[in-house]
Amino acid sequence: MKSPKSYLCRIAILLIAIGSMAFLYWHGYHKAFDEKYIPQNTDAIAMVDVKNIRNYFVFSCLKNPSDCQWNSTDSEFRKRFDLSNFGIKTPDYLAFFHIENQPISQWFFSAKIENETVFEKAITKAHSQKVILQNGMTSYYFNSLNLYIIKYSNQILVSNISEKQMLTAVKVADDLFLKKLLLDAKKIEKTIGTHNAITFWIKKNILLEKDGILNLKLEDHEITVDGQLHFKSKYKKESQFLQNPNALFSLGFDFEMIRNQNILKLNSNKINKIVGFDLDSILAQNPTKTELLLNKIVQKKDSAISYDYDDDFNPIKKVVIHTSYEPSFYFSMQTTDSKKVYDYLKDLNVIDNHQIFVNFPLAITKTSIRNNALTLEANPLKKLNLEPSPPKIGYLQFHFNKLQPEDWRIFISKNKNFTFLKSFESLEMNLSKENNTSHFRASLKTKDAKNLISVIK
């Protein structure tokens, strides 16, 4: 007969095991979402499952310990994304939302302040412009980060917004914090409690008949986004694009999909100034299948010869080598009557007598009409492997591994955020028709099949 002490020991072990499992579940898997974080006039949400992402990296580190050795630089990088370092409570879900009729690149998120002292210290250290607003709200603008924060009680609204658009953010904060004009939680039920790192919700709009859902998953060597989108029938047209599988960058789509989008309406004057002609005159010819192939960046060297003289007046020949970089690309756009488009551009002297498109200064660009499509081509490759693709609505490909070191220097000089992409091999997106819906899939693959944890850490 076993002693009472033995039974008590077993019961203690069982209770510890149950308690440990309950703690792990609560800390690692139990999640709650506060729907009061999203305003009523939201038209897109990126719902970030914070615990899902954290658990992914924890298990990745357990499987690949060597990839999780953090150095001091990595630690500084981590601190920037740890909300607790700014006195902000880290939620189970972080909802980035987009407001109707606002620029596509302008997003918001709201959160709660957990430690007022730490928050104020971080704000002071970042040298923000502080303004006391009405109704108990305070705003902080960070010029160097192009970041705007509005604080009300222990809540904040954060946005990447320009100074000219500050009133938009104030209106959003007023709707969210004071008027409580909140989005119906039922609209975004499918974004909560999934197995996805991020779930995207897109409100039905000029393109979609129903709300759309896309799922982002973290895998060992890539990040994938997948989902079904219910496009309206006029936007489901499939085409065979002349894809170059070896191109640095390629893009194909039906122009009808962007014809009535705000990006064209709101920026028409700016676009006209850039291209050097009235874009509406082109749109009047109903452009459809459009494709751009950036085959590679071509390096060209030109030599300039000059002469100097020595003390005895003997000529000394000097050769200066100038290196330039030009794109090798092919662009085509089908329209109702592309000859009319060509003649219109020629009358404006945008196309000269040698069929050169003079408004593109980076390379000598030939213009022609092929199969009722206006085409522009610069530095054509001698061996161009164009393969008609399976029918699809649109696609995008970017092969980062084809960029040379000098190419990266050019990109990074324009925007240092591009440095992050050096660790990836390619980005591919495809939109194709599947039954009565449209299937979207995107894949961002790491270079040399590296583990994702070693790239993102």
Side-chain angles (χ1 to χ4, degrees):
M1 182 176 179
K2 295 183 178 181
S3 66
K5 189 175 181 181
S6 177
Y7 283 113
L8 288 174
C9 185
R10 289 188 178 187
I11 292 172
I13 292 173
L14 181 61
L15 290 175
I16 290 172
I18 294 173
S20 298
M21 292 175 65
F23 174 79
L24 288 173
Y25 170 77
W26 185 268
H27 186 69
Y29 296 97
H30 178 271
K31 290 170 280 192
F33 177 69
D34 189 349
E35 65 273 8
K36 292 182 289 187
Y37 281 154
I38 304 176
Q40 194 176 65
N41 55 344
T42 294
D43 64 1
I45 298 170
M47 188 69 74
V48 181
D49 188 333
V50 177
K51 285 189 175 179
N52 181 298
I53 296 174
R54 184 195 59 195
N55 293 344
Y56 167 82
F57 285 115
V58 168
F59 288 115
S60 293
C61 285
L62 292 175
K63 290 191 298 182
N64 306 284
S66 60
D67 291 331
C68 297
Q69 296 176 1
W70 302 84
N71 57 38
S72 58
T73 303
D74 294 330
S75 297
E76 287 299 318
F77 177 81
R78 290 175 68 194
K79 286 180 182 178
R80 294 178 187 177
F81 292 92
D82 189 347
L83 296 180
S84 63
N85 290 319
F86 304 95
I88 300 171
K89 182 180 179 181
T90 302
D92 294 338
Y93 292 96
L94 190 58
F96 291 86
F97 55 87
H98 181 270
I99 299 298
E100 292 176 339
N101 302 318
Q102 294 301 313
I104 190 67
S105 60
Q106 186 175 292
W107 288 73
F108 301 80
F109 78 86
S110 58
K112 286 185 178 180
I113 298 174
E114 188 173 44
N115 189 315
E116 187 78 31
T117 303
V118 175
F119 176 77
E120 290 294 340
K121 185 177 179 181
I123 290 291
T124 303
K125 185 178 178 180
H127 304 293
S128 66
Q129 299 176 18
K130 182 177 179 179
V131 178
I132 305 298
L133 304 175
Q134 294 180 349
N135 299 321
M137 295 193 294
T138 305
S139 72
Y140 309 87
Y141 189 74
F142 306 85
N143 284 306
S144 59
L145 302 174
N146 206 35
L147 198 68
Y148 193 46
I149 296 178
I150 297 178
K151 177 177 176 289
Y152 176 74
S153 185
N154 69 333
Q155 295 177 290
I156 59 170
L157 177 71
V158 184
S159 60
N160 62 325
I161 203 166
S162 67
E163 286 190 83
K164 295 180 180 178
Q165 294 291 319
M166 283 183 178
L167 290 179
T168 299
V170 174
K171 175 66 167 58
V172 174
D174 187 65
D175 290 344
L176 191 62
F177 299 145
L178 302 176
K179 296 179 181 177
K180 306 295 183 182
L181 300 177
L182 306 174
L183 184 70
D184 183 358
K186 291 183 179 180
K187 290 182 176 291
I188 54 171
E189 284 180 345
K190 294 181 180 179
T191 67
I192 306 297
T194 69
H195 297 293
N196 309 310
I198 303 175
T199 303
F200 300 93
W201 172 82
I202 308 168
K203 183 180 178 180
K204 66 177 182 179
N205 52 38
I206 192 172
L207 296 175
L208 301 177
E209 291 179 336
K210 300 179 181 179
D211 295 351
I213 295 287
L214 297 175
N215 306 308
L216 183 148
K217 296 180 180 179
L218 303 176
E219 302 180 12
D220 286 344
H221 311 297
E222 65 179 326
I223 301 171
T224 62
V225 179
D226 196 273
Q228 304 291 333
L229 296 173
H230 296 266
F231 279 100
K232 295 178 180 178
S233 57
K234 64 186 293 188
Y235 303 119
K236 294 179 183 177
K237 181 181 178 182
E238 291 189 306
S239 301
Q240 275 194 308
F241 296 98
L242 292 176
Q243 288 186 233
N244 173 14
N246 298 315
L248 171 61
F249 173 85
S250 52
L251 171 69
F253 61 96
D254 188 336
F255 203 91
E256 186 67 30
M257 297 187 75
I258 66 170
R259 174 193 292 274
N260 297 314
Q261 297 302 307
N262 285 336
I263 192 170
L264 291 182
K265 293 179 180 178
L266 300 177
N267 298 288
S268 59
N269 291 333
K270 187 183 297 184
I271 294 172
N272 292 342
K273 187 175 181 180
I274 293 172
V275 299
F277 53 84
D278 183 8
L279 185 62
D280 288 338
S281 299
I282 308 298
L283 299 181
Q285 296 303 320
N286 301 312
T288 53
K289 185 175 76 170
T290 305
E291 186 167 27
L292 170 64
L293 303 177
L294 175 57
N295 299 306
K296 61 187 296 187
I297 305 295
V298 179
Q299 184 184 94
K300 291 187 174 182
K301 293 187 177 182
D302 296 321
S303 59
I305 300 175
S306 63
Y307 290 90
D308 202 351
Y309 297 90
D310 60 18
D311 294 338
D312 297 324
F313 297 99
N314 296 313
I316 301 173
K317 184 178 179 180
K318 291 185 176 181
V319 179
V320 178
I321 305 297
H322 176 69
T323 303
S324 61
Y325 299 90
E326 295 184 3
S328 166
F329 75 89
Y330 169 85
F331 172 83
S332 70
M333 176 188 285
Q334 287 188 349
T335 67
T336 304
D337 190 340
S338 293
K339 183 63 169 59
K340 282 188 177 180
V341 177
Y342 182 92
D343 291 340
Y344 165 73
L345 296 176
K346 202 165 190 318
D347 290 341
L348 292 177
N349 295 320
V350 174
I351 301 174
D352 68 13
N353 293 330
H354 301 285
Q355 294 184 298
I356 303 298
F357 187 83
V358 299
N359 282 16
F360 187 73
L362 299 180
I364 297 175
T365 305
K366 277 279 195 178
T367 314
S368 61
I369 302 293
R370 301 179 197 171
N371 301 320
N372 197 33
L374 178 73
T375 67
L376 305 175
E377 193 169 15
N379 294 310
L381 301 181
K382 294 180 180 179
K383 294 182 179 180
L384 185 59
N385 184 22
L386 293 179
E387 299 179 359
S389 69
K392 58 183 67 178
I393 299 172
Y395 80 96
L396 180 148
Q397 292 182 349
F398 201 139
H399 292 101
F400 304 115
N401 58 334
K402 294 185 180 297
L403 284 169
Q404 301 301 315
E406 56 269 20
D407 300 332
W408 278 113
R409 282 195 291 271
I410 294 172
F411 281 106
I412 293 172
S413 66
K414 302 293 183 183
N415 191 328
K416 291 184 179 180
N417 291 328
F418 289 142
T419 306
F420 173 72
L421 296 174
K422 293 182 71 173
S423 299
F424 291 92
E425 178 182 285
S426 63
L427 170 64
E428 295 189 11
M429 298 184 186
N430 281 290
L431 183 61
S432 56
K433 192 154 59 174
E434 190 174 278
N435 297 325
N436 197 36
T437 63
S438 302
H439 179 240
F440 176 85
R441 177 174 171 78
S443 172
L444 180 62
K445 295 182 179 180
T446 60
K447 188 182 293 184
D448 302 324
K450 289 184 178 179
N451 288 315
L452 192 60
I453 179 68
S454 65
V455 171
I456 298 181
K457 71 173 186 177

